[in-house]
Structures are given as structure tokens and as C-alpha cells.
């Protein structure tokens, strides 16, 4: 008997320690488990209270608070020097993808292991993907040294996210799930992770949009963002991530909001050519149609709608298309032309209603 499936699947290994209200104790336990004695805590201002709480009870050599989105190479080099001078033997990133990204940049050249305490849904903690920005271009790569050794999830930490950022970040996680379904290394195993991730994020986001302190909602969000990032790390970057990396790295657009805005345009463009993804997302969203389900969620939670509200200029569209086109995955289920990329960017810039089988969206 011959089947139709042939694939090689890899999922990045991770140790996940999960529990509401347990972040400090669990970080200390992880540092002890690793027999580390000189921790570098990487935490931006919004997480300084938790960092100080850990310092009070753990062997902390230093706290580093200079964290910036998309990891400017100069910041990475300063942090690497500081880690070297302080003889650091474990990096503890407390924060969103930017804090984790800086820890990864240090680990990339030093091999120092990382513990991550995520406070957004960006999911960088579950990937071996690093990113650095130099001279206005974001360079990304994969390396086993940047895959965190432990992830300490505590839903109480994400409860403090401002509502707009919580929703944008949740949609960033959902974008990991959706884009995984047609990314270059998509397979039935990472598709299963992405599908369950999409279900959990859909359920959790509706709850935290109503009440940011909703306990079960916060748990669904973190479980979903872990599954989403694990699926993404396994499947690779699809069209959506290629577009968003250029918008973030070259034009400095905010990460989560950019993903939240671009997602429905990539979905509308791709879903008609990706029936398995359509079926999976339809089920995850408990909707009659995947795109309608995505749009209903975006309306319900008040998703951001236009890149022009976040610093993208219409005049930059042709140049952005120049940079995006060569990196579009050859395996994308639908052929992608320059006109397609420009039209997609224009629609996302303006917040043009996405073609939605149930009704329109955006400000039209
Ligand atoms: P971020 O880490 O930049 O955080 C956004 C803002 O929210 C910051 O000001 C931060 O201090 C604040 N914040 C974070 N958590 C908070 C909380 N609980 N309460 C209040 N404020 C809080 O944003 P992000 O979206 O988490 O991460 C974006 C970065 O992560 C980008 O550079 C992106 O490229 C990277 N990223 C990398 C990967 C990967 O696999 N390598 C995956 C996803 C994102």
C-alpha cells in the first residue's frame, strides 16, 4: 500500500513550567535546576518589579533594562559585553518578544542558556529564531543556541497588558498558527499544533477582550501562543511572516499591530488556494467559513485595522514590495506577483475592507 504523505517533521524541544502567580518561585527553581550562579535578568521597565522580586531571592549578577523592538545590533553588542564582563551563566528574559530577542542575541554568540518568562503572546520563547536589525534591515536566522532551555508561563503577568496590546499580541500568535498552515515546512504534525493553537487563541481572546483578568482566558492565551510558536518554529516563515518582517525591520512598524493588521489580507489572498487550512481554521473558529470566523473575531475584540495608523507610509509600498518579493516562499499555495504584494500592502495601509463572505470590515 502506498500513501500520499511523505515528510520530515521536527519540533523544537522545550521545558515548559506553567502556573498562575508562580513566576518568581518557578524562575528561582529553574535557575537552581541549571546550577547557575550568575544570572543576567533582561527586563524592560514594564517588568522591573518582577525582576527586582527575582533579584531578592536568586543569584542575580545584573539586571539589563535597555530593550528595544527588533533588537538593534548595537544594543545586542553592549549586552554581550556586559554579560561577558559580569561572568553571566544564565540569561533570564522577562517580557515580550523584545526582551526574549535580546537574550537570544546574547546567546547566539556566547551559548549562555536562556530562561524566558513571557509577558506577551509573541511566542519567541518557543522558537530557535533570532532577529537583529542593522542599517534598517532586519536579519533573521535559526540556531539551536538561541532556543530557550526553560519557559516559565504565568497568566497573571499577561493580565497587565494594555487591552490594545493584548489583542494585537494575541492576533500575532494567531498569525503564527495561520501562516504555519502554508509555510515551507508545513506538515500534518505542525498543522495539528497550529489548529489547536488557533482554537485556544480564538476562545481565550474573546474572554480577555471582555475582562483582561479572566483566568481561564489568560491560560488559553498562553497555551495557544506556545502551540502557535511551536507550529511556526517547525513549519517556518510563510508569506505573512515574510511581509511583516520587512515592515518591522525596514520601516520600524510595531510588531504585534503589524501582524494583527496584515493577517486578514494574507488569509483572504491565500485561503481560496489552501482548502486544508480553510477547513482547519473553520473548525478552530467554529465558523462556517475560516475568513468570516477570523473577521468576526477581529471585530469582536477590536483589532487594529490600518498600517497607516502605525507609521507606514503609502510612498513606501513599492520599495517594500521590492524587498518582499524575493523572499516569498516558492511553496506558497498561490502564485504571488508584484501586483499582488502591492495591492495587499495598499489594502493593509488603508484598512480597506477585507473580502469577507459574511460582511465587510475596516473603515472602508
Ligand atoms: P515587545 O516585547 O516589544 O513589548 C511591547 C511593549 O509592551 C513594550 O513596551 C513592553 O515593555 C510592554 N509589555 C510587555 N509585556 C507587558 C505586560 N505584561 N504588561 C504591560 N506592558 C508590557 O513586543 P512583542 O510583540 O512581545 O515582541 C515583539 C518583538 O519580538 C519583535 O522584535 C519581534 O521580531 C520579536 N519576535 C520574535 C519571534 C521569534 O521567534 N524570534 C517571535 C515573535 C516575536
Amino acid at each position: 500500500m502506498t500513501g500520499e504523505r511523505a515528510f520530515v517533521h521536527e519540533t523544537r524541544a522545550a521545558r515548559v513550567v506553567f502556573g498562575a502567580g508562580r513566576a518568581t518561585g518557578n524562575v528561582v527553581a529553574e535557575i537552581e535546576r541549571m546550577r547557575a550562579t550568575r544570572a543576567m535578568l533582561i527586563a524592560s521597565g514594564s517588568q522591573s518589579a518582577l525582576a527586582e522580586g527575582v533579584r531578592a531571592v536568586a543569584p542575580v549578577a545584573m539586571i539589563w533594562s535597555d530593550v528595544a523592538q527588533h533588537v538593534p545590533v548595537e544594543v545586542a553588542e553592549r549586552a554581550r559585553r556586559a554579560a561577558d564582563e559580569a561572568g553571566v551563566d544564565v540569561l533570564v528574559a522577562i517580557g515580550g518578544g523584545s526582551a526574549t530577542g535580546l537574550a537570544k542575541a546574547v546567546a547566539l554568540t556566547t551559548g549562555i542558556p536562556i530562561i524566558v518568562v513571557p509577558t506577551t503572546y509573541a511566542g519567541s520563547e518557543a522558537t530557535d529564531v533570532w532577529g537583529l536589525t542593522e542599517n534598517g534591515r532586519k536579519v533573521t536566522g535559526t540556531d539551536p543556541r538561541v532556543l530557550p532551555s526553560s519557559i516559565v508561563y504565568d497568566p497573571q503577568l499577561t493580565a497587565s497588558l494594555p487591552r490594545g496590546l493584548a489583542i494585537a499580541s494575541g492576533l500575532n500568535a494567531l498569525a503564527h498558527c495561520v501562516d504555519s498552515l502554508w509555510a515551507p515546512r508545513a506538515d500534518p504534525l505542525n498543522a495539528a499544533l497550529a489548529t489547536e493553537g488557533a482554537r485556544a487563541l480564538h476562545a481565550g481572546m474573546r474572554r480577555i477582550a471582555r475582562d483582561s483578568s479572566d483566568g481561564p482566558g489568560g491560560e488559553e492565551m498562553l497555551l495557544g501562543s506556545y502551540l502557535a510558536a511551536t507550529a511556526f518554529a517547525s513549519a517556518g516563515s510563510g508569506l505573512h511572516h515574510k511581509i511583516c518582517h520587512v515592515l518591522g525591520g525596514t520601516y520600524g512598524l510595531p510588531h504585534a499591530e503589524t501582524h494583527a493588521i496584515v493577517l486578514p489580507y494574507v488569509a483572504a489572498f491565500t485561503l481560496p488556494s489552501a482548502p486544508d487550512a480553510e477547513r482547519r481554521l473553520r473548525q478552530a473558529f467554529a465558523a462556517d467559513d475560516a475568513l468570516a470566523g477570523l473577521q468576526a473575531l477581529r471585530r469582536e475584540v477590536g483589532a487594529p485595522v490600518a498600517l497607516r495608523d502605525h507609521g507606514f507610509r503609502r510612498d513606501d509600498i513599492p520599495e517594500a514590495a521590492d524587498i518582499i518579493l524575493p523572499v516569498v516562499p516558492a511553496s506558497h499555495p498561490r502564485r504571488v506577483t508584484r501586483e499582488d504584494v502591492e495591492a495587499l500592502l495598499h489594502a493593509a495601509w488603508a484598512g480597506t475592507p477585507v473580502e469577507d463572505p459574511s460582511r465587510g470590515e475596516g473603515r472602508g
Side-chain angles (χ1 to χ4, degrees), residues 91-273:
L91 304 162
V92 182
I94 304 172
S98 298
T100 304
L102 182 58
K104 287 177 163 182
V106 176
L108 184 64
T109 54
T110 62
I112 301 173
I114 309 174
I115 298 170
V116 182
V117 188
T119 64
T120 71
Y121 308 118
S124 178
E125 67 276 5
T127 81
D128 58 358
V129 180
W130 55 266
L132 285 163
T133 305
E134 186 169 22
N135 301 327
R137 291 286 163 104
K138 183 163 182 174
V139 183
T140 61
T142 60
D143 193 300
R145 279 177 300 184
V146 309
L147 182 70
S149 306
S150 302
I151 310 169
V152 172
Y153 282 119
D154 180 344
Q156 284 185 5
L157 301 179
T158 43
S160 67
L161 277 167
R163 188 174 183 283
L165 182 55
I167 296 307
S169 189
L171 289 165
N172 177 197
L174 188 57
H176 286 142
C177 298
V178 175
D179 210 30
S180 290
L181 295 172
W182 46 64
R185 299 189 303 277
D187 66 45
L189 300 177
N190 49 45
L193 298 171
T195 308
E196 171 57 13
R199 185 212 59 75
L201 291 165
H202 180 267
M205 218 177 312
R206 299 177 68 204
R207 295 184 75 125
I208 62 154
R210 288 193 292 270
D211 173 8
S212 63
S213 65
D214 182 276
E219 290 186 352
E220 289 271 45
M221 290 303 291
L222 282 179
L223 294 171
S225 49
Y226 173 75
L227 291 167
T230 307
F232 165 64
S234 174
S237 288
L239 175 65
H240 173 87
H241 278 80
K242 296 296 184 189
I243 292 172
C244 292
H245 282 174
V246 170
L247 295 175
T250 305
Y251 303 102
L253 302 196
H255 181 84
E257 290 81 353
T258 301
H259 277 267
I261 293 165
V262 170
L263 178 61
Y265 297 101
V266 175
F269 176 79
T270 308
L271 282 168
S273 308

